[in-house]
Amino acid sequence: MATFRKYEFAVYADFRTIYDAEASPNTCVELGRVNPDNPKAYCVDILWEGEEPSYWVRHQVWPTPCGVHSFLGWDAQYEADYKEFATPQSK
Amino acid sequence: MPTPSLLIVPARFKSGKLYSQIPTSGAGDFTVTRATNATRVNASGLIESVASGIPRLDYFASDGTVGCPALLVEPSGTNFARGVELLNTPTPATASGGITITTGSTDFLAPDGSSGTITKYVGGTASGANFVEYVSSISVSASGVHTFSAFVKTGATNPLTFCALQFALYSAASGTNTSYFNLASGTALTAGATIQNYGNGWYRIISAPYTIAAGDLAGSIRLIFAEANNDVNWPASGALDLTVYAWGIQLDAGSVATSYIPTTTGSVTRNADVVSVTGAVSGSIGQTQGTIYAEVDVRNLFAGSLLVVDDGDTSDFIAIGRLANLTIRAQIRRAGGSTTTIITSSAVALGVHKIALAYTNGDYALYIDGVSAGTSTNSTNYPATSLTQCVLSNTNYVPFNDRILDAALYTTRLSNAELAALTSL
């Protein structure tokens, strides 16, 4: 089961460091500096072929579904995960 | 003619699997992975969504009627045109005689068969340029070549004859920024632009590729009412009552308008198609000699891999592919060496082609449509390890980005006469 997650890094180099060493199969879409509240931050969306590697969790962000980008057919899953993980009080 | 050791005519499938006709043991059945949905043209000629992991049997035919199904394989793609229909800012304003916009028009069904999802544009009295523009600046994620496309259909009365797609306000960009089309004749008028007939009066108009520069990734895309080819300047009476409908706008990275990717509030990515078979299929792959064959429908000017037999990765392989100038090439690689192009054909025309490469170390022959396209006596780069995988599309090689009608493997190097017979149209 694939996993769709969104990430934000303080600067682009931080993203390159972790991503270039990543071996888990994925599709990464680099969104760039799209957060108006943090214009230096570098944002990416990743569709992992399996589970998200645990060391990526600290870079997760949860914009309101589905932010500025999604993967085709994954909007509903992201929205469900958003309710589960981003706004746990909604459970 | 020998019997192929593997034959795949895309027809039977389930999630994650595309069945080969030969061998019947299942050893030649292809594994299909694509973690996202995607779209295809179905047997009714309508665009429809296909779930992740399902191979896309596409029935699109260029004359607007459905054709035989073919396997559509594409690289990943992103539609940066956020919102299904947001070409909704007219210049000049409607109140000043500009274009009148009706979203959710029910005058016709959309190319996906839905009702109330198309946008209607009716010209006004304003002279000069008349266009509708994306509601806000549209950003792409990286510099490089991009392609803008839209599905359009003229009105039943007062049909608009000429229209154009335009990239605007991307500073430092380069290339042809405005592409013109004749919707009455169904022709693209600008070099590099293309038009595809989707039937029921719908055309997909596709801009010439346009290079967006790194310094400015945000600009606008426009649908223009044109008075004639290379002419957007309307006389005093304007484009009064001329009517066109649009649906499915798309802004792709790259030089190809890929299959439609629906969007809502954000840009959307479709993953690449991965279609390959490994393991027991090695018995169907000629190891010291063999032939690989495919029949393809070439519609895009794109460099991609067509059919590969390899060692499970890219260390050793025998492959046929095409370049963006539509030459067909045969390449081989031996572990520890580099990829070697052994044969490059003359450019082929857009359309259906049958291509076969016969191989044994020191003796290669490429045939296209019944004619020899080149030979090679290369004897230094033949794969050194067992060939254990057959690839129709994966991310180790650039996907073909077009349609594959059938493919076959033989465990012998077919004679040149057999290659000619096999590839005759």
Side-chain angles (χ1 to χ4, degrees):
Chain A
M1 177 66 176
T3 307
F4 175 21
R5 292 288 183 267
K6 292 174 174 287
Y7 304 97
E8 184 174 292
F9 300 85
V11 293
Y12 174 71
D14 291 351
F15 161 68
R16 283 261 66 97
T17 300
I18 185 171
Y19 188 72
D20 288 348
E22 184 54 59
S24 302
N26 68 82
T27 300
C28 177
V29 175
E30 298 185 35
L31 305 175
R33 298 171 179 87
V34 296
N35 183 353
D37 298 324
N38 187 4
K40 288 187 177 178
Y42 197 79
C43 301
V44 301
D45 282 2
I46 295 183
L47 186 60
W48 302 99
E49 289 189 15
E51 294 292 317
E52 171 196 39
S54 59
Y55 43 89
W56 279 77
V57 173
R58 64 193 175 96
H59 301 291
Q60 280 181 2
V61 290
W62 291 95
T64 303
C66 285
V68 300
H69 172 266
S70 70
F71 290 93
L72 190 54
W74 283 89
D75 287 20
Q77 186 62 56
Y78 178 83
E79 189 161 350
D81 289 348
Y82 175 83
K83 292 175 180 175
E84 175 80 16
F85 301 117
T87 57
Q89 68 277 13
S90 66
K91 285 201 289 187
Chain B
M1 179 77 71
T3 300
S5 51
L6 185 150
L7 174 66
I8 175 75
V9 181
R12 296 174 56 243
F13 63 88
K14 65 178 181 179
S15 181
K17 190 73 72 179
L18 179 62
Y19 294 104
S20 294
Q21 284 73 22
I22 299 173
T24 56
S25 64
D29 295 341
F30 284 74
T31 299
V32 178
T33 56
R34 187 192 57 250
T36 67
N37 291 4
T39 60
R40 67 158 182 168
V41 174
N42 66 19
S44 299
L46 300 174
I47 294 172
E48 72 172 8
S49 182
V50 173
S52 62
I54 301 288
R56 287 184 286 169
L57 270 58
D58 190 270
Y59 290 75
F60 177 77
S62 59
D63 60 358
T65 60
V66 296
C68 295
L71 180 68
L72 175 60
V73 289
E74 295 180 303
S76 64
T78 298
N79 183 0
F80 293 101
R82 303 177 302 276
V84 175
E85 299 300 341
L86 287 177
L87 290 169
N88 60 1
T89 303
T91 299
T94 305
S96 300
I99 295 165
T100 297
I101 300 171
T102 305
T103 58
S105 169
T106 56
D107 289 357
F108 300 104
L109 297 179
D112 66 350
S114 62
S115 178
T117 61
I118 63 176
T119 303
K120 181 179 184 180
Y121 302 100
V122 181
T125 57
S127 60
N130 277 268
F131 59 86
V132 286
E133 190 168 26
Y134 199 85
V135 67
S136 60
S137 67
I138 181 167
S139 298
V140 298
S141 61
S143 60
V145 170
H146 288 75
T147 304
F148 172 25
S149 61
F151 292 84
V152 295
K153 175 186 174 85
T154 57
T157 56
N158 300 313
L160 177 69
T161 299
F162 295 95
C163 72
L165 296 177
Q166 184 177 69
F167 290 89
L169 307 177
Y170 291 95
S171 60
S174 61
T176 303
N177 72 331
T178 307
S179 299
Y180 290 83
F181 305 88
N182 184 329
L183 300 179
S185 62
T187 52
L189 304 173
T190 302
T194 55
I195 190 167
Q196 298 172 339
N197 185 349
Y198 272 72
N200 298 317
W202 285 102
Y203 289 101
R204 192 181 197 191
I205 55 176
I206 302 168
S207 76
Y210 185 65
T211 301
I212 296 174
D216 183 8
L217 300 179
S220 290
I221 50 177
R222 295 171 175 169
L223 173 64
I224 299 176
F225 277 43
E227 198 200 10
N229 185 23
N230 292 317
D231 182 3
V232 297
N233 196 31
W234 289 89
S237 58
L240 183 62
D241 293 336
L242 296 181
T243 303
V244 70
Y245 300 81
W247 181 86
I249 60 172
Q250 185 154 316
L251 180 59
D252 277 282
S255 60
V256 173
T258 64
S259 61
Y260 177 55
I261 303 171
T263 61
T264 53
T265 58
S267 57
V268 175
T269 295
R270 175 205 61 242
N271 272 21
D273 298 285
V274 176
V275 185
S276 61
V277 55
T278 189
V281 74
S282 61
S284 298
I285 301 173
Q287 299 295 329
T288 60
Q289 63 171 307
T291 302
I292 58 178
Y293 161 84
E295 181 178 5
V296 295
D297 189 354
V298 177
R299 298 180 186 277
N300 297 313
L301 305 178
F302 187 81
S305 165
L306 167 54
L307 180 59
V308 183
V309 288
D310 66 23
D311 62 340
D313 58 33
T314 58
S315 298
D316 295 72
F317 64 74
I318 298 170
I320 48 179
R322 53 111 181 248
L323 299 175
N325 63 4
L326 297 187
T327 58
I328 306 296
R329 69 179 177 185
Q331 293 183 306
I332 57 175
R333 182 184 171 97
R334 182 186 183 92
S338 57
T339 300
T340 302
T341 299
I342 53 172
I343 303 169
T344 301
S345 77
S346 303
V348 300
L350 295 174
V352 174
H353 299 284
K354 295 183 176 182
I355 304 165
L357 172 68
Y359 60 86
T360 188
N361 193 14
D363 179 16
Y364 302 84
L366 179 67
Y367 272 69
I368 302 173
D369 302 337
V371 177
S372 173
T375 60
S376 172
T377 58
N378 180 297
S379 60
T380 57
N381 301 100
Y382 193 84
T385 55
S386 294
L387 301 170
T388 58
Q389 179 174 245
C390 179
V391 178
L392 289 175
S393 176
N394 76 12
T395 52
N396 284 339
Y397 313 95
V398 178
F400 186 54
N401 209 0
D402 252 321
R403 294 162 178 83
I404 300 172
L405 283 79
D406 55 74
L409 303 180
Y410 297 82
T411 55
T412 59
R413 185 214 181 282
L414 298 185
S415 69
N416 291 353
E418 289 169 331
L419 291 172
L422 177 65
T423 60
S424 292
L425 291 170

